[in-house]
Amino acid sequence: MTKGRKTTSQANRRELPRGESDSAQNRRPTINDVARLAKVSKKTVSRVINDSPFVRGETRERITAIMSELGYTPDPQARGLAFRRSFLIGLVYDNPSSQYVIDMQQGILDAVRELGFELIVHPCNRRQPNFLAEVRSFVERQKLFGVVLPPSVSEDEELNKALIEVGCPYTRIASISLDEPARMVVTHDHRGAAEAARHLADLGHRRIAFISGPDMFRSSHERRRGFAQGLADRGLKLQPKYIKEGAYTFESGIACAKKLLAMDAPPTAIFAGNDEMAAGVYRAAREAGLEIPRDLSVVGFDDSAICSKVWPPLTSVLLPIREMGRIAATKLLVEGGLRERIEHPEVSPTLVVRQSTAAHREA
């Protein structure tokens, strides 16, 4: 090769600005170099790197060409620095239902995986005195892009304030609206509970019991409110003696159902605040020698996978948990400029009738 003659690739390769030292010319190109040569901001280059839809086609092509000519290849750490956060979405939860958490995780991943994000889960306990400090430390330590807050952590206003203080974007999932629409996924739990109540009343049941979730969960109150309203729509009243507080767990469903079925005038139908507790009702009914639905009708809430695994299949209120997770994560991406703004879809629970409910028959 003749001394001083450039190869074809060298001739076509865009050089860094003249006047810099030899060591600078030999260094690895940076995002600042790309921005300077493309005559755009570093933020615009970041958007192109992360496939944001908010860059004009002509600008995107110019930036992409310059990155190729410079040999610029961003690594994951550089991507995170461009946002001053990691490419991690956090799921902070204190929900005792494992299936709920699994479904929520799947929904979040549906929304973020294609953009290179990963999910990091963080179980916690709102009853612990260090709850707020511990969650705040987790968020700051991981430099999260944002967090999804399902019930009941979504209902904690002090946690909400802490996230604002540290500058961490969030989306809250709750049975009622607690924040501005861009940060909320509202599930309207009372509507589904009311439909369950009307279903049981229309089957002729009059001694109808309700097993609620923990008192600290707003969903427990909303489901109770809706169930009472649904009974009232049929001229019935939710009697206090037929109300037991559970913990959204299988074991609490068994314990509450045993108390109800041991009453002098036991209920002929039970609405459990979630499917885990409804499965517990099945166990208690079997131990009491009762057959579902001949002797006892049972309705759950969530319409989780367990509904088709018990026998008879469980009638339940469908709450699209996976879809809720997807919507919540998508709203985080919108706030971060990685998705176009979306409408605020309404989550509306509906009753799915299966074989665990039947018309009341006189003993």
Side-chain angles (χ1 to χ4, degrees), residues 125-133:
N125 186 344
R126 283 182 67 196
R127 295 181 177 88
Q128 294 296 326
N130 65 338
F131 161 68
L132 287 175

Side-chain angles (χ1 to χ4, degrees), residues 243-259:
I243 301 172
K244 301 297 178 184
E245 182 181 331
Y248 280 155
T249 63
F250 175 74
E251 293 75 15
S252 68
I254 296 175
C256 291
K258 283 184 174 181
K259 293 177 182 178

Side-chain angles (χ1 to χ4, degrees), residues 44 48 53-62:
T44 300
V48 171
F54 303 114
V55 181
R56 289 183 299 178
E58 177 184 334
T59 304
R60 183 185 300 276
E61 291 175 6
R62 184 170 75 255

